[in-house]
């Protein structure tokens, strides 16, 4: 078979493993089930098979690949690929050097390379377009098919760094597939999040092993995977993600929805915040539950209008946090993430990054230090959980908020005297290859909320954490037709207005705390956003 290499379809790339075949199936039958239902590329990867059997297997698979007009790639064994005249090979960083592989195979074969970091992209770019045709970008997530993983998983942010390097070094010919720990529960998130910073490219395909090779019904499994990859909308919350500019009317509608739906807001939050957050949630007509019980997260997530606030100020066991993220993502219920003290210590940085890799968040909220650090615009460590006192200008904070929104395809909120909110959800769009069609962080909708200086808001503990409770309550209370951006903006406007009102009624920080809850209660129940004192400005 002669392939025009540029026409190869990388979208659903099946890698074999004969050690995981279910009873009653063969390598051949599983590959055929995949090919019949939408696999576009096959790689034989058999780490423990003797040469003789490997060749026999490869010849069998080659026949079936030819029948479906799908290229066959051989992992590592250049000799086997040459012996059977396969369509290409895939090699790792420790295998035969690429220039030698190309010399042996000639110009027309497909060569794939495993890549995990930007410096490897620099190397392939120096070789030019005649060497590497595609890269396997990984390892994305933990996986059982790598027996001795040398590196820790890179997550979507690691893949973004590789895509950025391909753009930087102008390796436009090189295609990409995500690899490692990809399953139906994370494929759409990976397609949506793994977009180069310039918006010009996303992954060209998803490669996987076990979801087809180990599937008792590989036909049905492939149909499901194919459908998932072809779907261009990633509906990670069951409400509207379409772009909007919030108005008093739309915010009034959000509050009416929250009032009638009375969301259950599960708080996994720090000890300092728990009582305050529960009372703020109640003031907003919602039901708080402060729970860190791992075995009940799935049940809680399935309660109508459940919403999760995940605040890492002081933390539950990591397995519990992961289970909670999984449970809410699985049923498309919103998660509001507050990475408290993100850059204060290495431990916090590592923990929060692990959680960010692990799921899709409806909203990521932080103070200016946290958001600047997440956006990589400031490398100063925080002193504890409070925002630094350094003056930051509005343009910089808006930019940081947009960057965080873009990187995590979320609604990002940056708090301080002025609050910034950017919508990076792209209406839930997720597309292979073309990314965000060139739209970058700077192009994202962004608003600024202000109400004059209210320094006393920073003088009580967990005021930012309770803004998290307010956001979680609003996004959880939406109808399926309600808009996510409206809900987040509405929550921040309400909170800022309540802060101002409370500051005029209080006598010091102790009574401010009480007055803030009273003001939230009053403003929420009146539901007259057209009268609120905080102002909303379009920043972009
Ligand atoms: N100087 C200020 N003027 C007006 N509003 C402020 C000011 N400082 C903070 N706020 C408001 O107070 C709330 C908390 O913001 P802050 O940036 O202090 O969060 P945080 O540091 O994460 O809080 P915490 O960790 O104490 O929970 C936000 O609603 C923010 O808008
Ligand atoms: C004081 C404090 N310490 C950990 S979390 C928290 C609440 C404010 O972020
Ligand atoms: Mg603070």
């Amino acid at each position: 078979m002669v392939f025009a290499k540029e026409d190869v379809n990388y979208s659903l790339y099946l890698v074999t493993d004969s050690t995981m075949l279910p009873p009653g199936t063969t390598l051949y039958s599983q590959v055929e089930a995949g090919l019949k239902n939408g696999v576009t590329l096959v790689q034989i990867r058999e780490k423990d098979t003797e040469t003789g059997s490997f060749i026999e297997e490869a010849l069998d698979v080659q026949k079936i690949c030819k029948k479906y007009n799908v290229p066959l790639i051989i992992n590592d064994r250049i000799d086997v690929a040459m012996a059977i005249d396969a369509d290409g090979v895939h090699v790792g960083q420790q295998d035969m050097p690429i220039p030698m592989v190309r010399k042996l195979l000639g110009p027309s074969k497909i060569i794939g390379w495993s890549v995990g970091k930007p410096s490897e992209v620099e190397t392939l770019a120096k070789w030019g377009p005649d060497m590497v045709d595609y890269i396997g970008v990984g390892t994305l997530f933990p996986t059982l098919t790598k027996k001795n993983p040398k590196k820790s998983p890179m997550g979507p942010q690691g893949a973004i760094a590789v895509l950025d390097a391909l753009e930087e070094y102008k390796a436009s010919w090189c295609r990409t597939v995500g690899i490692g720990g990809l399953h139906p529960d994370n494929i759409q998130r990976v397609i949506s999040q793994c977009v180069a910073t310039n918006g010009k490219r996303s992954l060209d395909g998803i490669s996987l092993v076990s979801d087809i090779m180990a599937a008792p019904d590989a036909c049905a499994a492939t149909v499901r995977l194919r459908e998932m990859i072809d779907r261009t909308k990633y509906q990670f919350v069951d409400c509207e993600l379409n772009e909007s500019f919030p108005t008093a009317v739309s915010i009034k509608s959000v509050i009416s929805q929250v009032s009638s739906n009375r969301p259950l807001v599960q708080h996994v939050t720090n000890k300092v915040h728990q009582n305050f957050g529960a009372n703020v949630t109640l003031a907003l007509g919602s039901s708080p539950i402060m729970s860190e019980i791992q075995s009940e997260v799935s049940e809680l997530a399935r309660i109508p209008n459940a919403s999760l606030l995940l605040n890492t100020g002081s933390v539950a066991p990591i397995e519990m946090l992961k289970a909670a993220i999984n449970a809410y993502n699985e049923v498309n219920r919103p998660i509001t993430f507050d990475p408290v003290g993100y850059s204060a210590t290495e431990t916090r940085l590592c923990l929060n990054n692990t959680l960010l890799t692990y799921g899709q968040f409806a909203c990521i909220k932080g103070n200016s230090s946290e958001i600047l650090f997440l956006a990589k615009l400031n490398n100063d460590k925080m002193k504890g959980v409070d925002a630094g006192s350094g003056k930051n200008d509005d343009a910089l904070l808006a930019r940081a908020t947009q960057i965080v929104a873009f990187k995590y395809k979320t609604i990002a909120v940056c708090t301080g005297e002025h609050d910034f909110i950017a919508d990076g959800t792209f209406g839930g769009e997720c597309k292979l290859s073309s990314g965000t069609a060139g739209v970058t962080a700077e192009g994202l909708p962004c608003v600024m909320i202000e109400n004059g200086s209210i320094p006393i808001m920073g003088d009580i503990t967990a005021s930012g954490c309770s803004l998290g409770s307010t956001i979680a309550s609003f996004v959880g209370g939406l109808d399926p037709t309600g808009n996510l951006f409206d809900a987040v903006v509405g929550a921040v406007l309400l909170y800022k207005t309540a802060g101002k009102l409370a500051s005029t009624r209080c006598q010091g920080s102790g009574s401010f705390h009480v007055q803030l809850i009273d003001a939230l209660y009053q403003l929420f129940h009146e539901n007259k956003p057209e009268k609120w004192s905080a102002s909303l400005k379009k920043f972009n």
Side-chain angles (χ1 to χ4, degrees):
M1 194 178 340
V2 182
F3 285 98
K5 286 203 290 189
E6 56 283 6
D7 293 341
V8 173
N9 178 343
Y10 289 93
S11 63
L12 179 49
Y13 187 175
L14 171 63
V15 179
T16 70
D17 184 343
S18 57
T19 64
M20 54 170 72
L21 299 170
T25 68
T26 61
L27 183 77
Y28 186 91
S29 73
Q30 294 297 79
V31 173
E32 178 162 38
L35 287 168
K36 265 187 188 158
N37 292 288
V39 163
T40 57
L41 193 58
V42 174
Q43 178 186 136
I44 304 188
R45 179 177 185 268
E46 299 295 339
K47 288 291 180 196
D48 304 314
T49 310
E50 307 275 356
T51 305
S53 330
F54 195 131
I55 290 197
E56 247 173 66
E57 224 168 54
L59 284 169
D60 266 355
V61 174
Q62 190 175 38
K63 273 191 215 118
I64 183 93
C65 282
K66 283 191 171 157
K67 182 170 157 199
Y68 287 91
N69 204 26
V70 161
L72 173 67
I73 308 290
I74 304 289
N75 184 286
D76 199 7
R77 296 290 302 265
I78 292 126
D79 53 342
V80 174
M82 291 172 76
I84 70 160
D85 193 27
D87 302 297
V89 297
H90 183 95
V91 291
Q93 291 291 325
Q94 309 303 325
D95 299 330
M96 186 187 286
I98 294 290
M100 290 184 189
V101 180
R102 179 56 81 201
K103 202 166 161 193
L104 287 171
L105 291 185
S108 64
K109 300 293 184 188
I110 301 164
I111 294 182
W113 201 31
S114 301
V115 161
K117 48 183 192 224
S119 60
E120 292 156 1
V121 173
E122 190 180 359
T123 304
L124 82 81
K126 277 192 189 134
W127 287 330
D130 299 334
M131 290 289 167
V132 175
D133 296 297
Y134 80 87
I135 56 176
V137 182
T139 303
L140 273 166
F141 299 110
T143 166
L144 296 174
T145 54
K146 273 251 182 228
K147 295 209 176 72
N148 302 303
K150 291 177 200 80
K151 297 165 255 175
S152 55
M154 55 159 59
Q157 299 308 313
I160 292 173
V162 169
L163 293 170
D164 281 348
L166 286 164
E167 288 298 299
E168 184 185 344
Y169 298 113
K170 302 193 169 30
S172 56
W173 68 88
C174 184
R175 308 273 49 92
T176 59
V177 294
I179 186 156
L182 291 168
H183 300 291
D185 64 356
N186 58 26
I187 284 174
Q188 282 206 294
R189 175 163 70 91
V190 163
I191 297 174
S192 146
Q193 288 190 358
C194 297
V195 177
T197 304
N198 67 8
K200 289 191 178 153
R201 64 152 80 206
S202 43
L203 295 170
D204 296 292
I206 294 296
S207 94
L208 41 80
V209 185
S210 59
D211 283 293
I212 295 178
M213 295 315 290
D217 181 348
C219 284
T222 313
V223 167
R224 179 162 175 236
L225 289 163
R226 187 73 252 172
E227 191 267 330
M228 195 155 258
I229 289 169
D230 292 338
R231 222 187 282 164
T232 50
K233 179 131 176 144
Y234 173 33
Q235 191 69 47
F236 61 89
V237 279
D238 39 22
C239 62
E240 285 295 326
L241 292 169
N242 298 325
E243 204 177 293
S244 68
F245 185 75
T247 60
V249 173
S250 67
I251 291 166
K252 200 178 176 78
S253 159
V254 167
I255 292 185
S256 303
Q257 293 168 51
V258 178
S259 290
S260 63
N261 292 327
R262 304 180 58 87
L264 174 77
V265 186
Q266 178 176 359
H267 283 58
V268 177
T269 190
N270 65 75
K271 300 174 181 76
V272 185
H273 173 230
Q274 289 182 356
N275 184 278
F276 185 16
N279 281 313
V280 164
T281 308
L282 286 166
L284 305 174
S286 310
S287 303
I289 179 168
M290 320 322 259
S291 166
E292 294 175 8
I293 304 171
Q294 187 172 334
S295 56
E296 71 179 9
V297 287
S298 287
E299 222 177 313
L300 290 176
R302 284 176 164 75
I303 291 171
N305 289 97
S307 179
L308 174 67
L309 175 67
L310 192 56
N311 171 307
T312 54
S314 65
V315 290
I318 183 89
E319 289 314 316
M320 186 276 148
L321 302 175
K322 287 181 175 175
I325 294 173
N326 257 346
Y328 280 76
N329 273 174
E330 198 181 345
V331 293
N332 297 349
R333 294 305 307 155
I335 306 175
T336 303
F337 184 58
D338 188 348
V340 176
Y342 179 61
S343 67
T345 60
E346 280 304 314
T347 303
R348 279 174 193 263
L349 201 57
C350 177
L351 172 91
N352 285 303
N353 281 341
T354 301
L355 297 177
L356 285 163
T357 294
Y358 212 76
Q360 173 70 42
F361 303 105
C363 176
I364 296 177
K365 161 219 154 264
N367 61 33
S368 53
S369 298
E370 287 148 2
I371 296 296
L372 283 167
F373 204 90
L374 269 166
K376 295 198 161 64
L377 292 184
N378 179 1
N379 289 327
D380 298 342
K381 275 194 169 177
M382 293 172 68
K383 183 180 167 203
V385 298
D386 291 328
S389 54
K391 265 271 169 220
N392 292 301
D393 66 278
D394 287 345
L396 180 74
L397 293 173
R399 171 119 187 83
T401 311
Q402 288 173 313
I403 290 172
V404 173
F406 187 88
K407 273 156 86 88
Y408 298 98
K409 300 291 175 287
T410 192
I411 302 207
V413 177
C414 174
T415 61
E417 181 170 335
H418 296 168
D419 300 318
F420 298 86
I421 308 165
D423 181 358
T425 61
F426 286 87
E429 233 177 58
C430 67
K431 285 203 184 108
L432 285 175
S433 304
S434 58
T436 54
V439 177
T440 61
E442 283 134 311
L444 295 182
C446 182
V447 297
M448 181 178 96
I449 288 172
E450 65 169 319
N451 204 1
S453 180
I454 323 169
I456 202 162
M457 285 192 93
D459 289 343
I460 57 165
T461 191
S463 60
C465 306
S466 281
L467 172 60
S469 305
T470 307
I471 294 169
S473 179
F474 275 34
V475 299
L478 288 176
D479 289 335
T481 53
N483 184 287
L484 190 68
F485 191 51
D486 282 345
V488 176
V489 171
V492 179
L493 259 180
L494 167 66
Y495 203 78
K496 198 69 140 186
T497 303
K500 186 70 166 196
L501 193 57
S503 73
T504 62
R505 292 173 175 173
C506 74
Q507 290 174 334
S509 58
S511 56
F512 174 72
H513 192 270
V514 175
Q515 290 291 348
L516 179 62
I517 296 173
D518 278 355
L520 286 167
Y521 182 94
Q522 181 198 329
L523 294 167
F524 179 83
H525 288 91
E526 277 174 9
N527 194 5
K528 289 187 175 149
E530 66 281 4
K531 294 196 169 160
W532 292 353
S533 58
S535 72
L536 173 64
K537 281 200 191 110
K538 207 172 162 120
F539 215 85
N540 188 34

